[in-house]
Amino acid sequence: MENRIIPKIEGLLSKETVDKNGIRGKTLRPAIILALVKLFQKFPEENFLETKLPGILAIICDTLRNKDSSARDVARNTLARIVCCINLKYLGDILHAVAIALNEGYKLHVRAATIHSILLELSKVYEPPSKDDVGLASLPFDDCTTAIMSLIQEDLFGEANERRISRDTNVRYVKEAVGNKSVHSIELLCRMISFAPSKARNGNQSKSAVHCIISPLLERLKLPNIDAKMIRKVKELLTRITIGISNNKSLKASELFPFVYATVHPFIGSEVITAVEHVEDYTNSDDDGVEIKVSGQKNVEGPNDVSPVQNIAR
């Protein structure tokens, strides 16, 4: 099997094609590739798939560089299906191979679309484990959050974005450049991470996947030369993050509220955040008005004026 059959099958993973203009290219045979990957996982040697996976990834990434969009579509879908059928501990190797192979020009758009396809397909079969099940243990998908977010940022704010908005006729546009799938990729990413911001205690934010997603965006808001266009884009991304986290099955209120406070506080300051305390228990009270004490807010009204905050319950 290892010395005769598998080498012959590996030679059939791709086939040469000729388009209508007579240009030769290669396209994948996804059924054979997926069958071979599943076969490698059946071998008794634990590292057998590790030794064979780089060769398969090289063939797929070579097809992702193909100028034929249909060939790229097949390669992208094949790679996404491979991610779903193997251990997620190999996800980092797959992302690394994609990042190296697709690192310039129109390939940057193909890379962003590939990341989106992987996350979209993975979201159909993967759910984040609850904190009660894994505690603060390391998770393979969460460990790749920094790498995924880095690729997404390069597409949103780097050369790929410049090419997308450029009017230069020399810039080659590809199908993957239409729209912006990276915005949806962030939402998918937030749905699948294990929401445990408490891992970032003692300043070690690299252990918290949600910090790896939000911190780079918050740092952009602190840039002295940020413009209104950038603020709108970051706002859109934060909205998508909110949608993704709200659909995350590992979300817990005990983790969410302290995280929201710690995230918002540096931007609005302690003077704006007020603590509202009820002076008396009005659960069984028939009074229409309830006296409310507000701490931490300066008294800007006159002596006979009523604070708007004190009229909340009226």
Side-chain angles (χ1 to χ4, degrees), residues 153-202:
Q153 282 195 98
E154 289 182 14
D155 180 63
L156 291 172
F157 305 109
E159 179 185 344
N161 182 60
E162 295 177 0
R163 291 175 58 88
R164 190 179 295 111
I165 63 178
S166 175
R167 296 182 180 179
D168 187 357
T169 56
N170 293 325
V171 175
R172 179 189 174 194
Y173 286 94
V174 294
K175 183 179 68 173
E176 289 84 351
V178 178
N180 200 328
K181 296 181 176 61
S182 291
V183 176
H184 189 221
S185 294
I186 287 187
E187 180 181 333
L188 293 172
L189 185 62
C190 291
R191 288 184 185 182
M192 292 186 286
I193 61 173
S194 178
F195 188 84
S198 58
K199 288 184 177 182
R201 289 174 181 172
N202 300 323

mmCIF file of all heavy atoms in Angstrom, residues 153-202:
data_model
loop_
_atom_site.group_PDB
_atom_site.id
_atom_site.type_symbol
_atom_site.label_atom_id
_atom_site.label_comp_id
_atom_site.label_asym_id
_atom_site.label_seq_id
_atom_site.Cartn_x
_atom_site.Cartn_y
_atom_site.Cartn_z
ATOM 1 N N GLN A 153 -6.886 40.840 8.519
ATOM 2 C CA GLN A 153 -6.499 42.248 8.582
ATOM 3 C C GLN A 153 -5.723 42.681 7.337
ATOM 4 O O GLN A 153 -5.903 43.797 6.842
ATOM 5 C CB GLN A 153 -5.649 42.497 9.830
ATOM 6 C CG GLN A 153 -6.438 42.605 11.109
ATOM 7 C CD GLN A 153 -5.601 43.203 12.219
ATOM 8 O OE1 GLN A 153 -5.683 44.387 12.505
ATOM 9 N NE2 GLN A 153 -4.788 42.383 12.847
ATOM 10 N N GLU A 154 -4.857 41.807 6.852
ATOM 11 C CA GLU A 154 -4.111 42.142 5.644
ATOM 12 C C GLU A 154 -5.046 42.352 4.463
ATOM 13 O O GLU A 154 -4.796 43.196 3.593
ATOM 14 C CB GLU A 154 -3.108 41.027 5.337
ATOM 15 C CG GLU A 154 -1.941 40.962 6.320
ATOM 16 C CD GLU A 154 -0.948 39.886 5.951
ATOM 17 O OE1 GLU A 154 -1.019 39.381 4.815
ATOM 18 O OE2 GLU A 154 -0.101 39.534 6.800
ATOM 19 N N ASP A 155 -6.140 41.586 4.425
ATOM 20 C CA ASP A 155 -7.094 41.755 3.343
ATOM 21 C C ASP A 155 -7.914 43.025 3.519
ATOM 22 O O ASP A 155 -8.242 43.705 2.539
ATOM 23 C CB ASP A 155 -8.030 40.546 3.284
ATOM 24 C CG ASP A 155 -9.052 40.663 2.167
ATOM 25 O OD1 ASP A 155 -8.639 40.698 0.989
ATOM 26 O OD2 ASP A 155 -10.260 40.737 2.467
ATOM 27 N N LEU A 156 -8.236 43.388 4.750
ATOM 28 C CA LEU A 156 -9.100 44.536 5.007
ATOM 29 C C LEU A 156 -8.356 45.869 4.970
ATOM 30 O O LEU A 156 -8.918 46.888 4.566
ATOM 31 C CB LEU A 156 -9.786 44.378 6.362
ATOM 32 C CG LEU A 156 -10.833 43.275 6.469
ATOM 33 C CD1 LEU A 156 -11.278 43.123 7.913
ATOM 34 C CD2 LEU A 156 -12.021 43.558 5.578
ATOM 35 N N PHE A 157 -7.105 45.859 5.403
ATOM 36 C CA PHE A 157 -6.383 47.116 5.555
ATOM 37 C C PHE A 157 -5.079 47.188 4.761
ATOM 38 O O PHE A 157 -4.435 48.225 4.749
ATOM 39 C CB PHE A 157 -6.056 47.354 7.039
ATOM 40 C CG PHE A 157 -7.261 47.308 7.938
ATOM 41 C CD1 PHE A 157 -7.453 46.241 8.808
ATOM 42 C CD2 PHE A 157 -8.204 48.312 7.907
ATOM 43 C CE1 PHE A 157 -8.560 46.193 9.640
ATOM 44 C CE2 PHE A 157 -9.309 48.289 8.732
ATOM 45 C CZ PHE A 157 -9.495 47.217 9.599
ATOM 46 N N GLY A 158 -4.678 46.090 4.140
ATOM 47 C CA GLY A 158 -3.382 46.056 3.475
ATOM 48 C C GLY A 158 -3.458 46.229 1.965
ATOM 49 O O GLY A 158 -4.338 46.919 1.426
ATOM 50 N N GLU A 159 -2.523 45.580 1.286
ATOM 51 C CA GLU A 159 -2.399 45.732 -0.166
ATOM 52 C C GLU A 159 -3.635 45.258 -0.904
ATOM 53 O O GLU A 159 -4.037 45.860 -1.915
ATOM 54 C CB GLU A 159 -1.172 44.939 -0.652
ATOM 55 C CG GLU A 159 -0.948 45.006 -2.153
ATOM 56 C CD GLU A 159 0.189 44.126 -2.613
ATOM 57 O OE1 GLU A 159 1.008 43.700 -1.765
ATOM 58 O OE2 GLU A 159 0.269 43.855 -3.834
ATOM 59 N N ALA A 160 -4.262 44.193 -0.413
ATOM 60 C CA ALA A 160 -5.454 43.678 -1.088
ATOM 61 C C ALA A 160 -6.564 44.713 -1.116
ATOM 62 O O ALA A 160 -7.269 44.866 -2.120
ATOM 63 C CB ALA A 160 -5.932 42.403 -0.397
ATOM 64 N N ASN A 161 -6.734 45.441 -0.025
ATOM 65 C CA ASN A 161 -7.761 46.478 0.017
ATOM 66 C C ASN A 161 -7.422 47.620 -0.945
ATOM 67 O O ASN A 161 -8.312 48.175 -1.605
ATOM 68 C CB ASN A 161 -7.901 47.009 1.439
ATOM 69 C CG ASN A 161 -8.986 48.048 1.571
ATOM 70 O OD1 ASN A 161 -10.163 47.783 1.306
ATOM 71 N ND2 ASN A 161 -8.606 49.260 1.963
ATOM 72 N N GLU A 162 -6.134 47.967 -1.039
ATOM 73 C CA GLU A 162 -5.716 49.008 -1.968
ATOM 74 C C GLU A 162 -5.983 48.593 -3.413
ATOM 75 O O GLU A 162 -6.410 49.409 -4.237
ATOM 76 C CB GLU A 162 -4.231 49.316 -1.767
ATOM 77 C CG GLU A 162 -3.907 49.919 -0.399
ATOM 78 C CD GLU A 162 -2.429 50.141 -0.211
ATOM 79 O OE1 GLU A 162 -1.667 49.819 -1.157
ATOM 80 O OE2 GLU A 162 -2.017 50.614 0.866
ATOM 81 N N ARG A 163 -5.738 47.340 -3.720
ATOM 82 C CA ARG A 163 -6.015 46.847 -5.070
ATOM 83 C C ARG A 163 -7.515 46.840 -5.345
ATOM 84 O O ARG A 163 -7.957 47.081 -6.464
ATOM 85 C CB ARG A 163 -5.453 45.432 -5.236
ATOM 86 C CG ARG A 163 -3.940 45.344 -5.248
ATOM 87 C CD ARG A 163 -3.496 43.878 -5.301
ATOM 88 N NE ARG A 163 -4.031 43.209 -6.464
ATOM 89 C CZ ARG A 163 -3.449 43.169 -7.662
ATOM 90 N NH1 ARG A 163 -2.289 43.800 -7.839
ATOM 91 N NH2 ARG A 163 -3.995 42.519 -8.666
ATOM 92 N N ARG A 164 -8.292 46.543 -4.306
ATOM 93 C CA ARG A 164 -9.738 46.463 -4.475
ATOM 94 C C ARG A 164 -10.354 47.814 -4.823
ATOM 95 O O ARG A 164 -11.301 47.898 -5.608
ATOM 96 C CB ARG A 164 -10.360 45.896 -3.200
ATOM 97 C CG ARG A 164 -11.833 45.530 -3.336
ATOM 98 C CD ARG A 164 -12.368 44.950 -2.042
ATOM 99 N NE ARG A 164 -11.732 43.681 -1.724
ATOM 100 C CZ ARG A 164 -10.903 43.498 -0.712
ATOM 101 N NH1 ARG A 164 -10.581 44.500 0.088
ATOM 102 N NH2 ARG A 164 -10.370 42.305 -0.474
ATOM 103 N N ILE A 165 -9.829 48.872 -4.244
ATOM 104 C CA ILE A 165 -10.393 50.204 -4.474
ATOM 105 C C ILE A 165 -9.615 50.992 -5.527
ATOM 106 O O ILE A 165 -9.980 52.121 -5.847
ATOM 107 C CB ILE A 165 -10.423 51.006 -3.160
ATOM 108 C CG1 ILE A 165 -9.004 51.243 -2.619
ATOM 109 C CG2 ILE A 165 -11.266 50.294 -2.117
ATOM 110 C CD1 ILE A 165 -8.963 52.062 -1.347
ATOM 111 N N SER A 166 -8.563 50.405 -6.061
ATOM 112 C CA SER A 166 -7.731 51.107 -7.030
ATOM 113 C C SER A 166 -8.438 51.207 -8.379
ATOM 114 O O SER A 166 -9.179 50.314 -8.797
ATOM 115 C CB SER A 166 -6.389 50.390 -7.202
ATOM 116 O OG SER A 166 -5.628 51.007 -8.222
ATOM 117 N N ARG A 167 -8.167 52.303 -9.079
ATOM 118 C CA ARG A 167 -8.711 52.500 -10.422
ATOM 119 C C ARG A 167 -7.633 52.331 -11.484
ATOM 120 O O ARG A 167 -7.845 52.681 -12.654
ATOM 121 C CB ARG A 167 -9.335 53.889 -10.529
ATOM 122 C CG ARG A 167 -10.534 54.095 -9.603
ATOM 123 C CD ARG A 167 -11.143 55.466 -9.785
ATOM 124 N NE ARG A 167 -12.289 55.659 -8.905
ATOM 125 C CZ ARG A 167 -13.006 56.766 -8.842
ATOM 126 N NH1 ARG A 167 -12.689 57.799 -9.645
ATOM 127 N NH2 ARG A 167 -14.023 56.870 -8.017
ATOM 128 N N ASP A 168 -6.515 51.805 -11.065
ATOM 129 C CA ASP A 168 -5.412 51.600 -11.996
ATOM 130 C C ASP A 168 -5.779 50.486 -12.974
ATOM 131 O O ASP A 168 -6.159 49.376 -12.570
ATOM 132 C CB ASP A 168 -4.138 51.240 -11.220
ATOM 133 C CG ASP A 168 -2.907 51.180 -12.120
ATOM 134 O OD1 ASP A 168 -3.063 51.370 -13.349
ATOM 135 O OD2 ASP A 168 -1.807 50.945 -11.598
ATOM 136 N N THR A 169 -5.658 50.762 -14.245
ATOM 137 C CA THR A 169 -6.023 49.761 -15.253
ATOM 138 C C THR A 169 -5.053 48.599 -15.292
ATOM 139 O O THR A 169 -5.366 47.549 -15.848
ATOM 140 C CB THR A 169 -6.074 50.418 -16.645
ATOM 141 O OG1 THR A 169 -4.805 51.043 -16.918
ATOM 142 C CG2 THR A 169 -7.177 51.459 -16.712
ATOM 143 N N ASN A 170 -3.859 48.783 -14.700
ATOM 144 C CA ASN A 170 -2.874 47.706 -14.701
ATOM 145 C C ASN A 170 -3.128 46.687 -13.596
ATOM 146 O O ASN A 170 -2.518 45.627 -13.565
ATOM 147 C CB ASN A 170 -1.467 48.279 -14.524
ATOM 148 C CG ASN A 170 -1.043 49.115 -15.713
ATOM 149 O OD1 ASN A 170 -1.402 48.801 -16.852
ATOM 150 N ND2 ASN A 170 -0.301 50.189 -15.454
ATOM 151 N N VAL A 171 -4.023 47.020 -12.668
ATOM 152 C CA VAL A 171 -4.338 46.101 -11.585
ATOM 153 C C VAL A 171 -5.290 45.042 -12.102
ATOM 154 O O VAL A 171 -6.361 45.349 -12.643
ATOM 155 C CB VAL A 171 -4.972 46.845 -10.388
ATOM 156 C CG1 VAL A 171 -5.408 45.856 -9.320
ATOM 157 C CG2 VAL A 171 -3.982 47.844 -9.811
ATOM 158 N N ARG A 172 -4.904 43.802 -11.920
ATOM 159 C CA ARG A 172 -5.725 42.708 -12.415
ATOM 160 C C ARG A 172 -6.799 42.360 -11.391
ATOM 161 O O ARG A 172 -6.502 42.070 -10.242
ATOM 162 C CB ARG A 172 -4.859 41.475 -12.688
ATOM 163 C CG ARG A 172 -5.680 40.284 -13.191
ATOM 164 C CD ARG A 172 -4.857 39.036 -13.255
ATOM 165 N NE ARG A 172 -5.694 37.896 -13.599
ATOM 166 C CZ ARG A 172 -5.302 36.642 -13.475
ATOM 167 N NH1 ARG A 172 -4.095 36.372 -13.021
ATOM 168 N NH2 ARG A 172 -6.098 35.653 -13.813
ATOM 169 N N TYR A 173 -8.040 42.385 -11.823
ATOM 170 C CA TYR A 173 -9.147 42.049 -10.944
ATOM 171 C C TYR A 173 -9.556 40.595 -11.168
ATOM 172 O O TYR A 173 -9.562 40.094 -12.295
ATOM 173 C CB TYR A 173 -10.344 42.966 -11.202
ATOM 174 C CG TYR A 173 -10.147 44.363 -10.668
ATOM 175 C CD1 TYR A 173 -9.661 45.368 -11.494
ATOM 176 C CD2 TYR A 173 -10.412 44.662 -9.343
ATOM 177 C CE1 TYR A 173 -9.470 46.654 -11.012
ATOM 178 C CE2 TYR A 173 -10.230 45.930 -8.851
ATOM 179 C CZ TYR A 173 -9.757 46.927 -9.681
ATOM 180 O OH TYR A 173 -9.551 48.190 -9.197
ATOM 181 N N VAL A 174 -9.907 39.936 -10.095
ATOM 182 C CA VAL A 174 -10.343 38.545 -10.160
ATOM 183 C C VAL A 174 -11.701 38.440 -9.489
ATOM 184 O O VAL A 174 -12.151 39.356 -8.792
ATOM 185 C CB VAL A 174 -9.330 37.610 -9.466
ATOM 186 C CG1 VAL A 174 -8.011 37.585 -10.207
ATOM 187 C CG2 VAL A 174 -9.126 38.016 -8.013
ATOM 188 N N LYS A 175 -12.344 37.325 -9.716
ATOM 189 C CA LYS A 175 -13.689 37.129 -9.178
ATOM 190 C C LYS A 175 -13.710 37.231 -7.657
ATOM 191 O O LYS A 175 -14.665 37.742 -7.067
ATOM 192 C CB LYS A 175 -14.214 35.763 -9.628
ATOM 193 C CG LYS A 175 -15.634 35.468 -9.185
ATOM 194 C CD LYS A 175 -16.091 34.125 -9.682
ATOM 195 C CE LYS A 175 -15.328 33.007 -9.005
ATOM 196 N NZ LYS A 175 -15.867 31.671 -9.364
ATOM 197 N N GLU A 176 -12.660 36.741 -7.018
ATOM 198 C CA GLU A 176 -12.607 36.749 -5.555
ATOM 199 C C GLU A 176 -12.524 38.154 -4.965
ATOM 200 O O GLU A 176 -12.768 38.337 -3.762
ATOM 201 C CB GLU A 176 -11.410 35.933 -5.062
ATOM 202 C CG GLU A 176 -11.537 34.436 -5.254
ATOM 203 C CD GLU A 176 -11.133 33.978 -6.651
ATOM 204 O OE1 GLU A 176 -10.909 34.846 -7.521
ATOM 205 O OE2 GLU A 176 -11.060 32.764 -6.890
ATOM 206 N N ALA A 177 -12.175 39.157 -5.794
ATOM 207 C CA ALA A 177 -12.058 40.530 -5.294
ATOM 208 C C ALA A 177 -13.406 41.221 -5.177
ATOM 209 O O ALA A 177 -13.512 42.274 -4.545
ATOM 210 C CB ALA A 177 -11.142 41.343 -6.201
ATOM 211 N N VAL A 178 -14.448 40.639 -5.773
ATOM 212 C CA VAL A 178 -15.781 41.235 -5.709
ATOM 213 C C VAL A 178 -16.335 41.078 -4.303
ATOM 214 O O VAL A 178 -16.313 39.985 -3.730
ATOM 215 C CB VAL A 178 -16.728 40.577 -6.728
ATOM 216 C CG1 VAL A 178 -18.125 41.170 -6.633
ATOM 217 C CG2 VAL A 178 -16.170 40.721 -8.142
ATOM 218 N N GLY A 179 -16.835 42.185 -3.730
ATOM 219 C CA GLY A 179 -17.329 42.134 -2.361
ATOM 220 C C GLY A 179 -16.161 42.074 -1.389
ATOM 221 O O GLY A 179 -15.016 42.352 -1.737
ATOM 222 N N ASN A 180 -16.459 41.720 -0.162
ATOM 223 C CA ASN A 180 -15.419 41.584 0.844
ATOM 224 C C ASN A 180 -15.812 40.485 1.825
ATOM 225 O O ASN A 180 -16.563 40.709 2.775
ATOM 226 C CB ASN A 180 -15.200 42.905 1.592
ATOM 227 C CG ASN A 180 -13.842 42.939 2.273
ATOM 228 O OD1 ASN A 180 -13.333 41.913 2.702
ATOM 229 N ND2 ASN A 180 -13.256 44.105 2.372
ATOM 230 N N LYS A 181 -15.313 39.296 1.553
ATOM 231 C CA LYS A 181 -15.681 38.140 2.360
ATOM 232 C C LYS A 181 -15.028 38.161 3.747
ATOM 233 O O LYS A 181 -15.456 37.449 4.645
ATOM 234 C CB LYS A 181 -15.296 36.853 1.620
ATOM 235 C CG LYS A 181 -16.055 36.658 0.319
ATOM 236 C CD LYS A 181 -15.646 35.366 -0.357
ATOM 237 C CE LYS A 181 -16.467 35.113 -1.621
ATOM 238 N NZ LYS A 181 -16.288 36.172 -2.617
ATOM 239 N N SER A 182 -13.982 38.962 3.913
ATOM 240 C CA SER A 182 -13.282 38.982 5.196
ATOM 241 C C SER A 182 -14.156 39.521 6.320
ATOM 242 O O SER A 182 -13.979 39.148 7.481
ATOM 243 C CB SER A 182 -12.001 39.819 5.088
ATOM 244 O OG SER A 182 -11.054 39.180 4.265
ATOM 245 N N VAL A 183 -15.093 40.404 5.995
ATOM 246 C CA VAL A 183 -16.008 40.916 7.014
ATOM 247 C C VAL A 183 -16.856 39.774 7.566
ATOM 248 O O VAL A 183 -17.071 39.663 8.781
ATOM 249 C CB VAL A 183 -16.899 42.026 6.427
ATOM 250 C CG1 VAL A 183 -17.920 42.505 7.452
ATOM 251 C CG2 VAL A 183 -16.042 43.190 5.952
ATOM 252 N N HIS A 184 -17.341 38.919 6.680
ATOM 253 C CA HIS A 184 -18.115 37.756 7.122
ATOM 254 C C HIS A 184 -17.216 36.729 7.814
ATOM 255 O O HIS A 184 -17.666 36.018 8.720
ATOM 256 C CB HIS A 184 -18.823 37.111 5.934
ATOM 257 C CG HIS A 184 -19.804 36.052 6.320
ATOM 258 N ND1 HIS A 184 -19.936 34.863 5.626
ATOM 259 C CD2 HIS A 184 -20.687 35.972 7.348
ATOM 260 C CE1 HIS A 184 -20.847 34.113 6.194
ATOM 261 N NE2 HIS A 184 -21.329 34.762 7.235
ATOM 262 N N SER A 185 -15.957 36.661 7.405
ATOM 263 C CA SER A 185 -15.024 35.724 8.038
ATOM 264 C C SER A 185 -14.855 36.035 9.517
ATOM 265 O O SER A 185 -14.760 35.124 10.352
ATOM 266 C CB SER A 185 -13.665 35.783 7.325
ATOM 267 O OG SER A 185 -13.751 35.311 6.001
ATOM 268 N N ILE A 186 -14.817 37.330 9.859
ATOM 269 C CA ILE A 186 -14.684 37.707 11.264
ATOM 270 C C ILE A 186 -15.907 37.256 12.054
ATOM 271 O O ILE A 186 -15.788 36.757 13.191
ATOM 272 C CB ILE A 186 -14.490 39.233 11.396
ATOM 273 C CG1 ILE A 186 -13.083 39.622 10.941
ATOM 274 C CG2 ILE A 186 -14.735 39.709 12.814
ATOM 275 C CD1 ILE A 186 -12.729 41.069 11.180
ATOM 276 N N GLU A 187 -17.081 37.399 11.468
ATOM 277 C CA GLU A 187 -18.297 36.945 12.150
ATOM 278 C C GLU A 187 -18.268 35.434 12.371
ATOM 279 O O GLU A 187 -18.608 34.946 13.466
ATOM 280 C CB GLU A 187 -19.523 37.338 11.325
ATOM 281 C CG GLU A 187 -20.840 36.919 11.956
ATOM 282 C CD GLU A 187 -22.040 37.294 11.111
ATOM 283 O OE1 GLU A 187 -21.935 38.267 10.343
ATOM 284 O OE2 GLU A 187 -23.081 36.612 11.217
ATOM 285 N N LEU A 188 -17.864 34.684 11.353
ATOM 286 C CA LEU A 188 -17.765 33.226 11.494
ATOM 287 C C LEU A 188 -16.734 32.849 12.554
ATOM 288 O O LEU A 188 -16.950 31.926 13.344
ATOM 289 C CB LEU A 188 -17.390 32.606 10.146
ATOM 290 C CG LEU A 188 -18.425 32.705 9.026
ATOM 291 C CD1 LEU A 188 -17.828 32.213 7.712
ATOM 292 C CD2 LEU A 188 -19.671 31.911 9.373
ATOM 293 N N LEU A 189 -15.626 33.562 12.564
ATOM 294 C CA LEU A 189 -14.571 33.291 13.538
ATOM 295 C C LEU A 189 -15.092 33.479 14.958
ATOM 296 O O LEU A 189 -14.802 32.668 15.845
ATOM 297 C CB LEU A 189 -13.386 34.217 13.263
ATOM 298 C CG LEU A 189 -12.125 34.024 14.102
ATOM 299 C CD1 LEU A 189 -11.540 32.634 13.887
ATOM 300 C CD2 LEU A 189 -11.094 35.082 13.753
ATOM 301 N N CYS A 190 -15.857 34.538 15.173
ATOM 302 C CA CYS A 190 -16.385 34.815 16.511
ATOM 303 C C CYS A 190 -17.431 33.793 16.936
ATOM 304 O O CYS A 190 -17.655 33.587 18.133
ATOM 305 C CB CYS A 190 -16.977 36.213 16.567
ATOM 306 S SG CYS A 190 -15.765 37.539 16.443
ATOM 307 N N ARG A 191 -18.070 33.165 15.995
ATOM 308 C CA ARG A 191 -19.041 32.128 16.334
ATOM 309 C C ARG A 191 -18.371 30.856 16.841
ATOM 310 O O ARG A 191 -18.953 30.123 17.643
ATOM 311 C CB ARG A 191 -19.889 31.776 15.104
ATOM 312 C CG ARG A 191 -20.886 32.825 14.691
ATOM 313 C CD ARG A 191 -21.723 32.315 13.526
ATOM 314 N NE ARG A 191 -22.624 33.341 13.009
ATOM 315 C CZ ARG A 191 -23.493 33.127 12.021
ATOM 316 N NH1 ARG A 191 -23.545 31.935 11.445
ATOM 317 N NH2 ARG A 191 -24.272 34.108 11.609
ATOM 318 N N MET A 192 -17.147 30.605 16.385
ATOM 319 C CA MET A 192 -16.528 29.306 16.643
ATOM 320 C C MET A 192 -15.469 29.308 17.737
ATOM 321 O O MET A 192 -15.054 28.243 18.184
ATOM 322 C CB MET A 192 -15.925 28.772 15.340
ATOM 323 C CG MET A 192 -16.968 28.407 14.297
ATOM 324 S SD MET A 192 -16.250 27.609 12.845
ATOM 325 C CE MET A 192 -15.490 29.019 12.050
ATOM 326 N N ILE A 193 -14.998 30.476 18.148
ATOM 327 C CA ILE A 193 -13.992 30.494 19.200
ATOM 328 C C ILE A 193 -14.626 30.108 20.532
ATOM 329 O O ILE A 193 -15.835 30.200 20.714
ATOM 330 C CB ILE A 193 -13.335 31.881 19.325
ATOM 331 C CG1 ILE A 193 -14.395 32.939 19.688
ATOM 332 C CG2 ILE A 193 -12.590 32.241 18.062
ATOM 333 C CD1 ILE A 193 -13.816 34.298 20.002
ATOM 334 N N SER A 194 -13.798 29.686 21.452
ATOM 335 C CA SER A 194 -14.250 29.450 22.817
ATOM 336 C C SER A 194 -14.180 30.782 23.556
ATOM 337 O O SER A 194 -13.102 31.323 23.767
ATOM 338 C CB SER A 194 -13.361 28.404 23.495
ATOM 339 O OG SER A 194 -13.761 28.209 24.840
ATOM 340 N N PHE A 195 -15.352 31.331 23.918
ATOM 341 C CA PHE A 195 -15.406 32.656 24.529
ATOM 342 C C PHE A 195 -14.978 32.549 25.989
ATOM 343 O O PHE A 195 -15.771 32.209 26.863
ATOM 344 C CB PHE A 195 -16.807 33.241 24.414
ATOM 345 C CG PHE A 195 -16.886 34.678 24.838
ATOM 346 C CD1 PHE A 195 -16.575 35.695 23.941
ATOM 347 C CD2 PHE A 195 -17.252 35.026 26.124
ATOM 348 C CE1 PHE A 195 -16.641 37.022 24.327
ATOM 349 C CE2 PHE A 195 -17.320 36.349 26.511
ATOM 350 C CZ PHE A 195 -17.013 37.351 25.617
ATOM 351 N N ALA A 196 -13.717 32.843 26.244
ATOM 352 C CA ALA A 196 -13.171 32.769 27.593
ATOM 353 C C ALA A 196 -12.153 33.881 27.781
ATOM 354 O O ALA A 196 -10.946 33.627 27.866
ATOM 355 C CB ALA A 196 -12.538 31.401 27.838
ATOM 356 N N PRO A 197 -12.612 35.140 27.843
ATOM 357 C CA PRO A 197 -11.665 36.256 28.006
ATOM 358 C C PRO A 197 -10.920 36.231 29.323
ATOM 359 O O PRO A 197 -9.906 36.904 29.466
ATOM 360 C CB PRO A 197 -12.568 37.493 27.900
ATOM 361 C CG PRO A 197 -13.938 37.012 28.193
ATOM 362 C CD PRO A 197 -13.997 35.601 27.701
ATOM 363 N N SER A 198 -11.399 35.447 30.279
ATOM 364 C CA SER A 198 -10.693 35.358 31.560
ATOM 365 C C SER A 198 -9.323 34.715 31.409
ATOM 366 O O SER A 198 -8.487 34.803 32.306
ATOM 367 C CB SER A 198 -11.519 34.551 32.570
ATOM 368 O OG SER A 198 -11.798 33.258 32.078
ATOM 369 N N LYS A 199 -9.071 34.065 30.265
ATOM 370 C CA LYS A 199 -7.738 33.507 30.014
ATOM 371 C C LYS A 199 -6.683 34.598 29.907
ATOM 372 O O LYS A 199 -5.490 34.325 30.024
ATOM 373 C CB LYS A 199 -7.742 32.698 28.712
ATOM 374 C CG LYS A 199 -8.479 31.375 28.798
ATOM 375 C CD LYS A 199 -8.334 30.617 27.490
ATOM 376 C CE LYS A 199 -8.990 29.246 27.566
ATOM 377 N NZ LYS A 199 -8.800 28.482 26.311
ATOM 378 N N ALA A 200 -7.134 35.819 29.657
ATOM 379 C CA ALA A 200 -6.186 36.926 29.458
ATOM 380 C C ALA A 200 -5.766 37.570 30.768
ATOM 381 O O ALA A 200 -5.178 38.639 30.769
ATOM 382 C CB ALA A 200 -6.811 37.984 28.558
ATOM 383 N N ARG A 201 -6.050 36.956 31.881
ATOM 384 C CA ARG A 201 -5.634 37.519 33.155
ATOM 385 C C ARG A 201 -4.108 37.576 33.248
ATOM 386 O O ARG A 201 -3.403 36.822 32.606
ATOM 387 C CB ARG A 201 -6.192 36.678 34.312
ATOM 388 C CG ARG A 201 -7.712 36.822 34.480
ATOM 389 C CD ARG A 201 -8.247 35.876 35.518
ATOM 390 N NE ARG A 201 -9.704 36.016 35.658
ATOM 391 C CZ ARG A 201 -10.451 35.204 36.389
ATOM 392 N NH1 ARG A 201 -9.901 34.209 37.052
ATOM 393 N NH2 ARG A 201 -11.751 35.401 36.464
ATOM 394 N N ASN A 202 -3.656 38.468 34.038
ATOM 395 C CA ASN A 202 -2.218 38.705 34.207
ATOM 396 C C ASN A 202 -1.572 39.221 32.928
ATOM 397 O O ASN A 202 -0.368 39.085 32.726
ATOM 398 C CB ASN A 202 -1.498 37.428 34.673
ATOM 399 C CG ASN A 202 -2.038 36.927 36.000
ATOM 400 O OD1 ASN A 202 -2.383 37.719 36.884
ATOM 401 N ND2 ASN A 202 -2.124 35.610 36.159
#
